[in-house]
């Protein structure tokens, strides 16, 4: 009987904590002398327009840059800057925001103040991102492998492939659909299937040249990377947008529920810069993924409208929303912590390690200096925005 009593003593605070999650709320304890609903509403509309334009401009610059003959060093610097922005967003903005929400005085003692939940949720998100990264990459690799095998079989049945316009047009359609095949991977497959083909790797290379694919990658200085180079960029861009979007909704709602012009004015400017830098980082990853124009435009559009939609939602529920309720604090803290884990993983593993540990970086001192300077600049500028937002 004593064992059951001890077990009940353990469960009772847990049950009361779950009840408090949906019933408890408290106020900040301070009256706002700057409250002005009419002026706040005007500033919210201005914020939606400013954040929309800033986000759209930031995400569009790298996409437009892929159409211009830019210097390779400048592109590497831009990629390093974007990686620094994402890293600072995860650590300085999201993880700290999650910690503040889950350690707020309005939160019940049990269980939120008895365990480091923000760091735990961030760790779980990083591990789940690793799993998703592995599974999604495997899916795209199998899909691309199947496309390659179909191309090889088709080439094996048509000896006069170089004079066959239908096969070449099919290959070009695959390129337009985002399935760009690196010439190194094509050579590897040609060697693997040489027993069933009357044309060797030279035929693949000639066909690739006729299709506009060079032997040094698809517009990027990747060197001798494998078949999954384009796949990795697609996966990175998709997971990165997922992590950024969840945070963008939260900061939009936070601005929208405010009734104080004194709070909204600095947030308007800070969030505009915030979305510009995040958009620039995301746009760089989307540009490297080399999606179809429709796919790139959809990802850019979805990012640009997320925060303004959050502001609109916050404005609509401002009269009834209590940002100090336990449910609101839990939702904000958990989502920010999860987003932090996603972005920190993506920044360190898929952006920084992928470039800074590459062979080209290790043998070119000038590239090292430029990349590290831009990395620290991006992280520093994004961290400085935490003073206001």
């Amino acid at each position: 009987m004593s064992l059951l009593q001890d077990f009940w003593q353990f469960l009772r605070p847990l049950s009361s904590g779950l009840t408090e999650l949906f019933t408890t709320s408290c106020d900040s304890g301070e009256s706002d002398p700057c409250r002005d609903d009419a002026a706040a509403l005007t500033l919210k509309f201005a914020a939606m327009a400013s954040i929309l334009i800033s986000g759209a401009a930031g995400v569009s610059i790298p996409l437009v840059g892929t159409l211009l003959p830019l210097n390779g060093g400048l592109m590497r610097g831009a990629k390093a800057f974007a990686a620094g922005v994402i890293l600072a967003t995860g650590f300085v903005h999201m993880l700290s925001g999650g910690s503040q929400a889950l350690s707020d005085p309005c939160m019940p003692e049990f269980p939120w103040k008895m365990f480091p939940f923000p760091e735990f949720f961030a760790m779980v998100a990083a591990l789940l991102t690793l799993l998703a990264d592995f599974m999604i990459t495997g899916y795209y690799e199998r899909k691309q492998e199947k496309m390659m095998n179909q191309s090889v079989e088709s080439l094996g049945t048509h000896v006069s492939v170089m004079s066959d316009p239908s096969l070449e047009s099919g290959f070009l359609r695959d390129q337009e659909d985002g399935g760009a095949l690196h010439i190194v991977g094509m050579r590897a497959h040609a060697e693997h299937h040489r027993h069933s083909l009357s044309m060797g790797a030279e035929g693949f290379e000639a066909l690739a040249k006729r299709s506009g694919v060079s032997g040094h990658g698809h517009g990027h200085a990747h060197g001798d990377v494998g078949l999954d180079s384009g796949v990795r960029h697609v996966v990175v861009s998709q997971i990165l947008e997922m992590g950024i979007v969840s945070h963008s909704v939260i900061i939009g709602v936070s601005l929208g529920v405010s009734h104080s012009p004194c709070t909204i004015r600095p947030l308007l400017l800070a969030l505009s810069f915030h979305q510009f830098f995040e958009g620039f980082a995301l746009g760089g990853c989307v540009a490297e993924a080399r999606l179809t124009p429709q796919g790139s435009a959809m990802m850019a559009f979805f990012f640009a409208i997320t925060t303004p939609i959050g502001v609109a939602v916050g404005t609509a529920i401002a009269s009834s929303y209590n940002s100090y309720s336990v449910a609101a604090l839990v939702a904000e803290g958990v989502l920010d912590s999860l987003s932090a884990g996603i972005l920190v993983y993506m920044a360190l593993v898929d952006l920084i390690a992928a470039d800074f540990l590459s062979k080209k970086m290790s043998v070119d001192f000038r590239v090292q200096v430029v990349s590290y300077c831009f990395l620290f600049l991006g992280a520093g500028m994004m961290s400085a925005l935490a003073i206001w937002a």
Side-chain angles (χ1 to χ4, degrees):
M1 183 65 69
S2 59
L3 181 62
L4 292 176
Q5 290 176 345
D6 292 340
F7 185 66
W8 170 247
Q9 291 296 326
F10 174 79
L11 289 180
R12 189 165 59 179
L14 177 61
S15 61
S16 62
L18 291 175
T19 303
E20 289 177 0
L21 173 64
F22 298 101
T23 60
T24 303
S25 65
C26 65
D27 201 350
S28 61
E30 301 177 0
S31 59
D32 188 357
C34 195
R35 175 163 180 159
D36 185 338
D37 291 348
L41 183 61
T42 301
L43 286 173
K44 290 174 188 178
F45 283 117
M48 283 189 278
S50 175
I51 292 172
L52 177 64
I53 294 172
S54 300
V59 76
S60 299
I61 289 175
L63 297 177
V64 175
T66 58
L67 305 177
L68 304 175
L70 299 179
N71 179 270
L74 180 62
M75 291 301 297
R76 278 193 170 268
K79 287 173 60 180
F81 181 88
V85 168
I86 295 300
L87 187 64
T89 302
F91 275 122
V92 180
H93 290 264
M94 295 188 180
L95 188 57
S96 64
S99 298
Q100 289 176 4
L102 295 181
S103 62
D104 192 273
C106 294
M107 295 292 288
E109 185 73 21
F110 186 89
W112 304 107
K113 298 181 182 179
M114 302 181 68
F115 185 80
F117 281 103
E119 294 79 9
F120 174 75
F121 287 132
M123 178 194 70
V124 170
L127 294 176
L128 292 177
T129 303
L130 171 63
L131 179 61
D133 199 357
F134 172 77
M135 294 178 66
I136 297 173
T137 301
Y139 166 77
Y140 278 114
E141 285 180 343
R142 289 190 298 272
K143 183 178 180 181
Q144 199 172 48
E145 187 83 12
K146 184 177 179 181
M147 290 168 52
M148 176 71 87
N149 289 335
Q150 290 175 349
S151 298
V152 169
E153 291 172 1
S154 179
L155 287 171
T157 57
H158 297 279
V159 178
S160 57
V161 61
M162 301 311 300
S163 63
D164 190 342
S166 62
L167 179 59
E168 183 175 346
S169 63
F171 187 84
L172 288 171
R173 284 197 298 273
D174 288 341
Q175 297 293 310
E176 294 170 355
D177 289 339
L181 303 178
H182 197 284
I183 187 66
V184 176
M186 292 166 65
R187 282 174 172 167
H189 254 72
E191 184 69 16
H192 179 68
H193 292 278
R194 65 183 181 274
H195 63 279
S196 60
L197 297 179
S198 60
M199 182 184 70
E202 294 78 8
F204 277 95
E205 186 170 359
L207 177 58
K209 287 180 179 179
R210 291 185 64 185
S211 302
V213 181
S214 68
H216 294 285
H218 33 272
H220 302 280
H222 292 305
D224 291 337
V225 293
L227 180 66
D228 65 339
S229 175
V231 171
R232 293 295 306 134
H233 294 309
V234 173
V235 175
V236 168
S237 63
Q238 291 176 344
I239 298 179
L240 188 61
E241 177 153 26
M242 179 180 67
I244 290 176
V245 161
S246 61
H247 176 64
S248 298
V249 172
I250 294 172
I251 60 177
V253 172
S254 299
L255 187 150
V257 298
S258 177
H259 299 276
S260 172
C262 299
T263 301
I264 298 174
R265 285 194 192 96
L267 278 179
L268 190 157
L269 183 62
L271 291 182
S272 295
F273 280 105
H274 183 280
Q275 291 303 102
F276 177 83
F277 289 138
E278 276 193 352
F280 185 86
L282 178 63
C285 293
V286 174
E288 280 199 311
R290 300 186 68 81
L291 304 172
T292 60
Q294 295 87 349
S296 298
M298 183 172 294
M299 292 188 71
F301 175 76
F302 190 59
F303 165 79
I305 66 170
T306 303
T307 302
I309 288 178
V311 176
V313 171
T315 303
I317 64 174
S319 59
S320 59
Y321 180 81
N322 181 10
S323 59
Y324 294 97
S325 68
V326 175
L329 290 170
V330 169
E332 179 182 349
V334 171
L335 288 176
D336 268 348
S337 300
L338 293 175
S339 298
I342 294 172
L343 293 195
V344 168
Y345 170 88
M346 300 302 294
L348 292 176
V349 176
D350 286 322
L351 300 180
I352 295 177
D355 281 343
F356 284 74
L357 300 181
S358 66
K359 183 178 180 180
K360 183 173 179 60
M361 179 76 75
S362 63
V363 300
D364 193 329
F365 180 73
R366 178 177 172 275
V367 171
Q368 293 176 21
V369 173
V370 171
S371 297
Y372 275 101
C373 287
F374 274 95
L375 176 68
F376 292 135
L377 179 64
M381 293 181 68
M382 196 65 181
S383 298
L385 287 178
I387 300 173
W388 300 278

